[in-house]
Amino acid sequence: MYAIDLFCGAGGFSEGIIQSGFHIVFSSDRSEQVMKTYMNRHHQLGLVQGYNTHFELADIRELTGNYIYNSINKLEVFSENPIGEIDAIFGGPPCQGFSRAGKRDKNDPRNMLFHEYVRIISEITPKYVVMENVEGFMDAALDNFFGLDGRKYPDNTLVSDILQKELSSVGYRVLQPQVLDASDYGVPQRRLRAIFIAYREDVIVPRYPKPTTPEWHQKVKIIEAIGDLILDNEIKEQVNFETSTYLEENKRGRTPHVNGHTIAGPSTPVNHETAKHSKVVQERFTLFREGESSRNVQTRISQSGLNLNEQQNLFWECVLNANRAGNSRIIEDFLHNNSPIYKASNEKNKINLVKSVLTMVSKYLIMLKTEDIELTNKKNIKILYTLEKKTGISKEQFSMFINQSMVYLNRKFKPNELSNQFIEGTINEEMFEYLLTKKNSRSRLGRYDIAPTMLTLPDDFINPFENRILTVREMARIQSFDDSFEFLGKRTTGGELRKNEVPQYTQVGNAVPPLLAFAIASEIKDALLINNQQKKIEA
C-alpha cells in the first residue's frame, strides 16, 4: 500500500502511517529544519532517499502531480514495476490562519494552502484522501475564494464547506468531517483535530476510527508518559511511579523498520536537555501547584495571600519592576550627566541605553539583596565592567552611584509595604503581571491528569515534578513519539526568528500525534484490504 504525506513536518503523521502498514513513497515540506529530522528518521527506518522513498523540500505551490509521479517512479525499488496509482494521500496544511488561539485572519495566505492540497489530489487521483487540521478549521470562514474551476464562493463561506465541495468537484465523496480527540486513541493529551476523509467513487467507503481509550480510567495520564524522566534524584525517589504499557511501548518502539522490527530507544533519552532557568524563573515556577494555571495561582493568592520570604529573587524583581518608571528617571539623569556615549546617541538609542542599564542595575541590586557577599562581588564586578563598556562611565563611578542611589531607588512602591500587600493578597493586576508575567496560558501539569494540547512554545507548561519547563523528549512522549525518534536542529528560538525557524519544540508541537495518525491510517488500510479482496473475488 503506497502513501504520500504532504506538509509532513517532522513526521508525526508519517509515524502513524507507517505503523499502520503503508509504504510512504513521497513526502514534502518547505522547512529545511524539519527536513533534517524527517529524513534522519526515515533513514533510520530503512526508507532511503532515491531508493524506496522521495522527500521533496518545496512549497506545495511548486509541486505538480506529474512531478510527484515521476519522482516516485524514478526510485530504484520501482525501476522495473512503476506505480500506476497511489492508495492514499495524507496531509495537514498549516493551520495558523484557522487556529482559535491565533488571530484568525481571513487574509492569512496560509489559509489557501488547503486549496493547493486539493489541486494535488485532483492531479494524483489517489483512492483515499485524509486531511487533518485544527478544530477551528470547522467554523472558520473565507472571503473572496475561488475554486479550482474558477467559480467564486460567497464571502464568509465556511472553509469546511469549501473543502467538501472542492473535493466533490474533483470526483471524491466526503465523509461527514469529525473532530477527534487524541486522548481517545491512547495519547496522554487532550488534542482536538478536525479530520476530513474522502474516497473515490470506485472504492470501498472508509470509516472514522472508533476510540480505543474513551473512558477516563482508560486514558493515559502524564505520569505514565514522563514519570521516569525526572532528573532530580531526590524527587525521583519520592514519586510513586510504575512502568506503564504506554511507556514500555515508547521505549520498545511502535514504528517498524522496513524489515519489520521496531527500534528501541537509547538507554539515555535523546532530546532531554533541560532549559537553564534563572533563579527568578525557578522561584516563579514554585508558586504553581500541580494542575494550576496562572489564573488559578492569582485567585489563590488573592484569597490567601503570599509570603515571598522564600522567593527573594522574585520579590525583588517585583519591587524593581513596580518602581521601573521612577528608577528609569534616576538612571537617565545619571547617564545624561556622566555618560559620553549617552550624550552622543540619538533619542532612540538613548531610550534603549536607559533600558539596558536599568536591567543590569536591577540584576546588581537583586544580587546584593539575595546572595552571599563573596559571590555577589564576583558577579557584580562583571556587571560593572559591562556597564563601563556600554556607557563610558568607569566601574568605580557606577558602583558609587548605585550605592548612593539605593536610598532614592524604589521609592514609589517601598519593599516593606509591597511585602505586606503580598501577604494580605491585596496586590493589583499590574503587580500580578510582575509576579507571574503576562503569560496567562502558563500552567503546571498534574501528574494524574491528561495533558492539554502541546503547543510550540516550551514555556507554556511547567513540569509536574520539577521547577522547569518540559524537555523536548517529555513533549514528544506526551505526543506519543517513540523514544528512538530524534529531533534535530536548534532546541528553541525566539523573536523574529520564529517566523522562519522550526526548532525542536516547534517540530514536536506542530506534529500530529503518531497514535492518532495510526488510528486514522489503519481505517484507510482496512478499507483498501477489503477493496482488494473484492477485486480478487470479481476477477
Side-chain angles (χ1 to χ4, degrees), residues 259-512:
N259 292 331
H261 63 85
T262 58
I263 302 171
S267 55
T268 301
V270 294
N271 302 124
H272 193 42
E273 300 84 5
T274 57
K276 294 179 180 178
H277 298 307
S278 68
K279 289 184 178 180
V280 169
V281 171
Q282 291 177 52
E283 290 178 4
R284 179 174 289 121
F285 287 174
T286 66
L287 303 181
F288 289 75
R289 296 173 182 172
E290 282 191 42
E292 281 191 330
S293 66
S294 294
R295 186 57 61 185
N296 297 146
V297 175
Q298 182 173 339
T299 300
R300 174 166 52 80
I301 292 172
S302 295
Q303 294 172 349
S304 306
L306 175 67
N307 189 333
L308 284 171
N309 282 339
E310 294 183 0
Q311 289 91 9
Q312 284 291 297
N313 290 277
L314 179 58
F315 171 70
W316 281 104
E317 180 172 87
C318 290
V319 171
L320 289 160
N321 281 331
N323 289 284
R324 191 172 187 87
N327 292 349
S328 290
R329 286 192 292 271
I330 294 171
I331 288 173
E332 185 179 0
D333 289 343
F334 177 69
L335 294 178
H336 176 76
N337 294 326
N338 298 280
S339 170
I341 294 175
Y342 179 87
K343 293 176 182 177
S345 299
N346 59 35
E347 287 305 311
K348 182 179 179 180
N349 288 339
K350 284 180 178 178
I351 292 171
N352 290 333
L353 186 58
V354 171
K355 288 180 180 179
S356 177
V357 171
L358 178 60
T359 298
M360 286 186 283
V361 170
S362 296
K363 287 181 180 179
Y364 189 108
L365 292 173
I366 288 174
M367 284 189 284
L368 283 178
K369 296 289 184 181
T370 60
E371 297 190 5
D372 64 80
I373 295 174
E374 185 177 346
L375 184 62
T376 297
N377 286 340
K378 289 181 180 178
K379 290 182 177 178
N380 280 348
I381 286 172
K382 290 182 180 180
I383 291 177
L384 290 172
Y385 271 112
T386 305
L387 287 169
E388 183 178 60
K389 186 175 180 180
K390 279 181 171 288
T391 66
I393 302 172
S394 72
K395 55 184 180 298
E396 292 80 11
Q397 189 177 357
F398 236 118
S399 177
M400 186 181 301
F401 159 72
I402 294 173
N403 290 322
Q404 289 177 348
S405 297
M406 287 178 69
V407 69
Y408 302 110
L409 296 171
N410 307 324
R411 296 195 67 179
K412 183 176 180 181
F413 296 94
K414 294 181 174 57
N416 289 340
E417 292 176 3
L418 273 180
S419 179
N420 290 332
Q421 289 178 29
F422 275 114
I423 291 171
E424 295 165 2
T426 57
I427 59 175
N428 59 25
E429 195 74 24
E430 185 178 17
M431 194 59 64
F432 270 116
E433 287 188 1
Y434 298 144
L435 182 70
L436 301 174
T437 75
K438 295 181 180 180
K439 195 169 187 62
N440 291 324
S441 60
R442 180 178 290 123
S443 63
R444 186 188 287 274
L445 302 179
R447 70 188 73 185
Y448 300 116
D449 292 337
I450 302 160
T453 301
M454 291 291 103
L455 304 173
T456 58
L457 294 173
D459 55 344
D460 282 314
F461 304 113
I462 306 170
N463 185 281
F465 314 105
E466 301 174 282
N467 292 315
R468 58 175 177 81
I469 62 171
L470 298 174
T471 65
V472 172
R473 178 50 49 197
E474 287 166 335
M475 278 185 64
R477 284 269 190 92
I478 291 172
Q479 279 276 62
S480 74
F481 279 96
D482 288 357
D483 280 8
S484 58
F485 192 112
E486 183 176 6
F487 295 88
L488 303 181
K490 293 172 65 174
R491 192 156 52 88
T492 188
T493 192
E496 289 297 311
L497 294 176
R498 286 190 59 81
K499 294 180 180 179
N500 299 308
E501 294 185 343
V502 188
Q504 294 173 18
Y505 277 111
T506 304
Q507 291 175 32
V508 178
N510 280 340
V512 178

Side-chain angles (χ1 to χ4, degrees), residues 137-346:
F137 189 94
M138 300 294 283
D139 56 18
L142 288 178
D143 293 341
N144 199 36
F145 187 89
F146 291 85
L148 287 176
D149 59 2
R151 63 172 170 157
K152 183 180 184 297
Y153 284 85
D155 285 353
N156 212 39
T157 301
L158 290 176
V159 183
S160 59
D161 290 345
I162 294 174
L163 176 61
Q164 292 176 75
K165 289 176 182 177
E166 287 295 289
L167 285 170
S168 296
S169 73
V170 295
Y172 286 85
R173 294 177 178 174
V174 186
L175 298 183
Q176 184 65 33
Q178 290 191 15
V179 175
L180 303 184
D181 183 347
S183 73
D184 287 339
Y185 301 92
V187 181
Q189 177 189 181
R190 289 185 299 274
R191 191 181 189 95
L192 302 178
R193 307 303 285 184
I195 306 298
F196 292 76
I197 295 178
Y199 58 100
R200 279 189 341 212
E201 296 181 359
D202 61 331
V203 298
I204 295 296
V205 180
R207 302 179 305 178
Y208 283 96
K210 293 181 179 179
T212 56
T213 54
E215 304 298 329
W216 176 261
H217 71 275
Q218 297 173 317
K219 295 183 186 295
V220 181
K221 311 302 188 294
I222 291 172
I223 192 169
E224 299 176 68
I226 65 172
D228 66 314
L229 295 176
I230 300 169
L231 296 168
D232 189 310
N233 289 327
E234 289 186 15
I235 295 176
K236 188 178 291 187
E237 291 175 2
Q238 298 169 13
V239 174
N240 183 19
F241 169 75
E242 293 182 6
T243 300
S244 65
T245 301
Y246 179 85
L247 178 55
E248 289 176 348
E249 290 175 349
N250 268 91
K251 292 185 173 182
R252 186 172 60 246
R254 302 180 185 90
T255 309
H257 187 276
V258 292
N259 292 331
H261 63 85
T262 58
I263 302 171
S267 55
T268 301
V270 294
N271 302 124
H272 193 42
E273 300 84 5
T274 57
K276 294 179 180 178
H277 298 307
S278 68
K279 289 184 178 180
V280 169
V281 171
Q282 291 177 52
E283 290 178 4
R284 179 174 289 121
F285 287 174
T286 66
L287 303 181
F288 289 75
R289 296 173 182 172
E290 282 191 42
E292 281 191 330
S293 66
S294 294
R295 186 57 61 185
N296 297 146
V297 175
Q298 182 173 339
T299 300
R300 174 166 52 80
I301 292 172
S302 295
Q303 294 172 349
S304 306
L306 175 67
N307 189 333
L308 284 171
N309 282 339
E310 294 183 0
Q311 289 91 9
Q312 284 291 297
N313 290 277
L314 179 58
F315 171 70
W316 281 104
E317 180 172 87
C318 290
V319 171
L320 289 160
N321 281 331
N323 289 284
R324 191 172 187 87
N327 292 349
S328 290
R329 286 192 292 271
I330 294 171
I331 288 173
E332 185 179 0
D333 289 343
F334 177 69
L335 294 178
H336 176 76
N337 294 326
N338 298 280
S339 170
I341 294 175
Y342 179 87
K343 293 176 182 177
S345 299
N346 59 35

